Amino acid sequence: MLQIQDTLVSLDLAERFFCCDLSKCMGECCIEGDAGAPITREEYEKLKEVLPVVSDDLTPAGRKEIEERGVGYVDEEGDLVTTIVNGRDCAFCTYGPGGVCLCAVEKAYREGRIKDFRKPASCALYPVRLTRYPSFTAVNYHRWKVCRAAEVLGRKEGIRLYQFLEGPLTEYFGKEWYDELKLACEAYLDEYGG
């Protein structure tokens, strides 16, 4: 583990290679699983706020599910998560060229239709998951078979997980935190290889 400010970061962020390969996975992390993406109460409110902007981008089933259940719900583990369709697909999915699943919220953000919200942090940081404890936050790599192509491409391109997530980690934790993480990862890799 690496201690960065008030976080404990898994060595996987330094050791593992990772680079999303949408041409291979087709955005499967947004359509597989048995619960929605973890969201905070603030993100829940933000999703309600941006819903009119993204509604036309959603699938008919996603729109219907949100109309009936809202933008999120509390899952079996007691976590607030995005609404899902048919017990698996995120209701905020939209589909791009070639059938690639994309986040409708992020699509609208990139197109300038939303100014101050890209998507929930758990989505932006994926495959990293955060677990908050009273005195620290654990930063861990969530390995999942649907991301195997990302591991292969990351190794081929020489991109480590902490490098791939530089933008989202900086946005979430701040530049000073990320700079400390980068130095710690580089020092660890210099000493232990990997």
Side-chain angles (χ1 to χ4, degrees), residues 52-57 104 107-115:
V53 178
V54 302
S55 184
D56 287 345
D57 294 327
K107 178 179 181 284
Y109 177 86
R110 288 177 187 259
E111 292 171 352
R113 294 183 287 138
I114 297 172
K115 302 290 185 210

Side-chain angles (χ1 to χ4, degrees), residues 84-155:
I84 56 175
V85 178
N86 297 324
R88 54 183 288 228
D89 304 13
C90 178
F92 287 93
C93 286
T94 189
Y95 290 86
V100 173
C101 179
L102 305 168
C103 174
V105 177
E106 184 171 27
K107 178 179 181 284
Y109 177 86
R110 288 177 187 259
E111 292 171 352
R113 294 183 287 138
I114 297 172
K115 302 290 185 210
D116 61 347
F117 183 61
R118 181 186 309 262
K119 61 183 169 182
S122 69
C123 301
L125 292 169
Y126 198 76
V128 162
R129 285 288 190 229
L130 307 178
T131 307
R132 287 166 192 80
Y133 295 97
S135 60
F136 69 96
T137 298
V139 181
N140 291 300
Y141 175 36
H142 178 244
R143 289 195 76 192
W144 193 17
K145 65 179 178 170
V146 302
C147 292
R148 182 70 185 123
E151 294 174 349
V152 170
L153 182 60
R155 181 168 294 284

